[in-house]
Amino acid sequence: MVGDEGEGFEPDVLADPLAPENQLKTSGRGIFYMKTFMDDIAFSRGEAGGTVLTMRKNLNAESNAKGVKSA
């Protein structure tokens, strides 16, 4: 679980990092990568404000490498 103490943000209104106008930007891909590599992510509001991000990754062999079998 990761949280911030700032104003927070709305995860549903983030810019698409794959859109042509965003491809050369040097920021804005963190949430995209988390959604890509984690099995589950959830956003909520912190008690004192900000946004809390909870991430889950399954560590079993079947879900670890999608389509790749372990040796």
Side-chain angles (χ1 to χ4, degrees):
M1 189 167 27
V2 179
D4 70 29
E5 298 173 352
E7 295 179 17
F9 64 94
E10 294 296 329
D12 296 333
V13 294
L14 296 174
D16 178 2
L18 300 179
E21 65 271 16
N22 297 327
Q23 289 181 357
L24 297 178
K25 290 185 177 180
T26 59
S27 63
R29 290 175 177 77
I31 302 297
F32 171 77
Y33 286 133
M34 286 182 237
K35 288 180 177 181
T36 300
F37 295 116
M38 301 305 286
D39 291 312
D40 185 46
I41 65 170
F43 297 94
S44 61
R45 288 283 180 199
E47 291 180 19
T51 301
V52 175
L53 169 64
T54 304
M55 299 175 278
R56 182 180 55 82
K57 179 69 179 167
N58 292 326
L59 297 178
N60 62 43
E62 290 180 22
S63 67
N64 216 8
K66 297 174 184 171
V68 178
K69 296 185 180 189
S70 57

